[in-house]
Amino acid sequence: MNYGTIKNFDVANGLGVRVSLFVSGCRNCCKGCFQPETWDFNFGKEFTKETEDQILELLKPSHIQGFSLLGGEPFEEENQAVLAPFLEKIREAYPQKDIWCWTGYIFDKDLQEGQRKHTQYTDRMLKCLDVLVDGPFVLEKRNLMLKFRGSENQRLLHLQDGKITRIE
């Protein structure tokens, strides 16, 4: 898996100060995407053990509220195989920090067992997430007043506590 960038002081992608990883590769190719360069699975740098260690170190300070995972598309099959074990490492090392993820896929239509983006890693990833922002960016539904999402069709879903609840 490749990644485009790591932001070590991100205040735009989730609550509080966060560390954010933008992975490469996306088959959604949404019209109006704010970073179409990340559609290419070969964009950026290779995600290595050193990259993991760097992110885990960046998450250490108490002022960092959590980790945000964006793309590209984290739920592309190739990315899930790398991200599931990495998210588990973050959850184990920092159980008090929250994990947010953005996907252009729809939680209840694409990511559940038997659906098109469900793999052997999907449930492991979802189990680690506190908040999932789901749905493709739709340029015609763009709304700059929305918190943490770009278009009105996208949802903020709270995934912890054994139930799924919509935020906002």
Side-chain angles (χ1 to χ4, degrees):
M1 179 183 86
N2 280 11
Y3 70 97
T5 192
I6 297 168
K7 292 187 178 183
N8 62 352
F9 195 84
D10 190 350
V11 295
N13 295 301
L15 295 174
V17 180
R18 315 184 66 74
V19 174
S20 296
L21 171 67
F22 292 78
V23 301
S24 296
C26 182
R27 294 183 178 94
N28 288 316
C29 301
C30 300
K31 184 173 113 182
C33 175
F34 76 105
Q35 43 187 24
E37 64 277 6
T38 65
W39 297 351
D40 181 354
F41 284 84
N42 295 311
F43 175 75
K45 301 175 188 167
E46 182 181 357
F47 188 84
T48 64
K49 169 83 168 79
E50 290 74 30
T51 311
E52 286 187 1
D53 292 344
Q54 175 190 0
I55 293 170
L56 290 169
E57 188 65 27
L58 290 170
L59 285 166
K60 267 188 183 176
S62 60
H63 69 274
I64 300 294
Q65 181 167 333
F67 177 71
S68 292
L69 179 60
L70 306 97
E73 175 55 61
F75 282 96
E76 294 297 3
E77 294 85 340
E78 300 89 332
N79 293 341
Q80 288 187 48
V82 175
L83 292 170
F86 180 57
L87 290 173
E88 290 167 343
K89 286 180 186 176
I90 292 173
R91 180 60 69 205
E92 183 178 332
Y94 303 106
Q96 75 282 11
K97 297 187 188 261
D98 59 6
I99 301 175
W100 288 45
C101 180
W102 278 254
T103 180
Y105 296 110
I106 299 170
F107 174 77
D108 39 344
K109 292 183 181 170
D110 297 317
L111 301 179
Q112 299 301 296
E113 189 171 344
Q115 295 172 337
R116 70 183 181 130
K117 286 297 170 177
H118 190 275
T119 73
Q120 66 189 37
Y121 303 104
T122 308
D123 293 337
R124 289 173 56 190
M125 284 180 64
L126 291 170
K127 186 177 180 184
C128 292
L129 303 179
D130 294 285
V131 175
L132 178 70
V133 181
D134 80 336
F137 173 74
V138 177
L139 187 58
E140 296 76 21
K141 294 183 178 189
R142 184 173 133 192
N143 182 339
L144 299 177
M145 301 306 291
L146 298 171
K147 289 184 181 177
F148 310 120
R149 56 197 201 270
S151 60
E152 292 174 357
N153 61 296
Q154 295 173 312
R155 306 178 298 177
L156 277 86
L157 303 173
H158 185 264
L159 300 184
Q160 291 297 313
D161 306 324
K163 57 184 179 266
I164 312 307
T165 52
R166 187 170 177 169
I167 306 169
E168 293 188 13

